[in-house]
Amino acid sequence: MTTSDPTELDAPPEGLEAVLPAVVDQVALARLYGEPLFAMPRDLYIPPDALQVFLEAFEGPLDLLLYLIRKQNFNILDIPMAAVTRQYLSYVDEIRATNLELAAEYLLMAAMLIEIKSRMLLPPKKVAEGEEAEDPRAELVRRLLEYEQMKLAAHRLAELPQYGRDFLRAQVHVEQSLAPRFPDVHPIDLQSAWRDILKRAKLVQHHKISREELSVREHMSIVLRHLQGKRFVEFADLFDPTRGSQVLVVTFIATLELAKETLIELTQAEAFAPIYVRLAYTPN
């Protein structure tokens, strides 16, 4: 039997109506073992300590022991082991209830304190005359003094200005309005441009035999008049290929003479870019 109702196709098994979406394109809230969840489970269990946050007040057993001694102004060279051990064990009992792995390190120090206290209750060992009996607390005192020195040194280092915490690096971009300086024209670029002009002249030249006296000074004046009133003129525009190669040569020599006498400037924006000619700037 067929039906035209799309909701009756692929019907979910019994008991899954509350989990599967009512529409096909509903966004899943989460995925459990790769399967999408479209509704919050009703039997969701959150352990009591799931959101518990434990802040470590001390950096280790020596830090705690030093804190207990300094807080009560005990002489670190004559530690009252009974009072310090009692206070230390009370703190260890608190952290054992919440974090057993963290308490293991503190328990090792607690065992050392109890051992030192038990050794102090025993009669001292016999030593030679003129020598003092070894104090069971000597090794612990040495470790505490070394730790206190390192802690004070670290505190002094932390008080130094640090990048990102106490100061930031300033970055200032200063824009200077400078006149653009065009790169110098290399002789190779000038030679390449001259070859291109000769190639174009050969394409349009006519076979004509004539005798003409050409003046470099005259063509220097022609080039200057051509540049008058213009900001830039392309180098190739100074030449007229229809007048023959002789005129082109004289015009080229006139251009070189003008550049030599600093009456004109040859500029080029970048390598292999067109070469431009302009009148040299002369201050009033």
Side-chain angles (χ1 to χ4, degrees), residues 41-197:
R42 298 180 180 178
D43 57 346
L44 184 63
Y45 172 72
I46 301 178
D49 58 345
L51 302 179
Q52 185 177 7
V53 178
F54 180 78
L55 299 178
E56 251 187 289
F58 304 100
E59 297 179 359
L62 284 176
D63 194 26
L64 171 60
L65 197 59
L66 185 63
Y67 167 76
L68 295 176
I69 293 172
R70 294 305 187 191
K71 180 182 178 181
Q72 302 180 71
N73 295 324
F74 291 151
N75 185 2
I76 196 170
L77 301 178
D78 188 16
I79 304 174
M81 296 304 300
V84 172
T85 303
R86 183 171 56 256
Q87 297 174 12
Y88 184 90
L89 290 177
S90 64
Y91 178 81
V92 173
D93 289 337
E94 293 180 3
I95 63 175
R96 284 179 62 188
T98 56
N99 194 332
L100 188 59
E101 295 181 0
L102 181 62
E105 186 179 0
Y106 289 83
L107 287 173
L108 180 61
M109 177 60 71
M112 183 183 298
L113 294 177
I114 295 174
E115 180 189 3
I116 294 173
K117 180 60 180 175
S118 61
R119 288 171 58 189
M120 293 178 63
L121 296 176
L122 296 175
K125 293 182 180 180
K126 295 182 179 181
V127 295
E129 294 183 0
E131 296 182 1
E132 295 183 359
E134 182 182 359
D135 191 344
R137 302 169 294 183
E139 178 63 20
L140 178 61
V141 170
R142 183 189 64 80
R143 291 177 59 184
L144 286 172
L145 291 175
E146 291 180 354
Y147 175 78
E148 187 175 28
Q149 292 177 358
M150 296 301 296
K151 186 175 182 180
L152 292 175
H155 181 68
R156 287 193 294 268
L157 288 176
E159 290 180 346
L160 296 177
Q162 295 184 14
Y163 171 71
R165 186 193 68 179
D166 303 308
F167 65 92
L168 296 174
R169 185 180 302 165
Q171 296 182 355
V172 180
H173 178 69
V174 179
E175 294 185 358
Q176 298 180 354
S177 57
L178 301 177
R181 182 181 180 276
F182 297 99
D184 298 332
V185 179
H186 297 283
I188 297 177
D189 299 329
L190 197 61
Q191 183 181 6
S192 177
W194 167 244
R195 283 199 301 264
D196 293 339
I197 294 172

Side-chain angles (χ1 to χ4, degrees), residues 1-10:
M1 182 174 121
T2 60
T3 178
S4 60
D5 189 358
T7 58
E8 295 182 4
L9 298 176
D10 300 332

Side-chain angles (χ1 to χ4, degrees), residues 120-282:
M120 293 178 63
L121 296 176
L122 296 175
K125 293 182 180 180
K126 295 182 179 181
V127 295
E129 294 183 0
E131 296 182 1
E132 295 183 359
E134 182 182 359
D135 191 344
R137 302 169 294 183
E139 178 63 20
L140 178 61
V141 170
R142 183 189 64 80
R143 291 177 59 184
L144 286 172
L145 291 175
E146 291 180 354
Y147 175 78
E148 187 175 28
Q149 292 177 358
M150 296 301 296
K151 186 175 182 180
L152 292 175
H155 181 68
R156 287 193 294 268
L157 288 176
E159 290 180 346
L160 296 177
Q162 295 184 14
Y163 171 71
R165 186 193 68 179
D166 303 308
F167 65 92
L168 296 174
R169 185 180 302 165
Q171 296 182 355
V172 180
H173 178 69
V174 179
E175 294 185 358
Q176 298 180 354
S177 57
L178 301 177
R181 182 181 180 276
F182 297 99
D184 298 332
V185 179
H186 297 283
I188 297 177
D189 299 329
L190 197 61
Q191 183 181 6
S192 177
W194 167 244
R195 283 199 301 264
D196 293 339
I197 294 172
L198 286 179
K199 288 180 182 179
R200 287 195 298 169
K202 291 179 181 180
L203 294 176
V204 298
Q205 68 180 357
H206 301 282
H207 182 70
K208 183 179 180 181
I209 300 175
S210 61
R211 182 182 181 90
E212 183 180 2
E213 293 182 1
L214 302 175
S215 171
V216 175
R217 287 292 174 183
E218 180 182 357
H219 282 78
M220 290 173 62
S221 301
I222 294 174
V223 172
L224 291 175
R225 286 198 300 270
H226 188 68
L227 297 176
Q228 196 71 32
K230 298 178 181 178
R231 185 176 181 184
F232 289 97
V233 175
E234 191 171 352
F235 180 71
D237 294 338
L238 297 177
F239 302 88
D240 186 5
T242 61
R243 299 191 59 184
S245 59
Q246 294 84 358
V247 178
L248 295 178
V249 172
V250 175
T251 305
F252 182 70
I253 295 174
T255 305
L256 295 179
E257 287 293 329
L258 290 172
K260 180 181 178 181
E261 295 177 10
T262 65
L263 296 175
I264 64 173
E265 293 181 357
L266 301 173
T267 61
Q268 188 179 30
E270 59 184 4
F272 307 108
I275 299 175
Y276 291 89
V277 186
R278 67 174 179 180
L279 293 175
Y281 174 74
T282 55

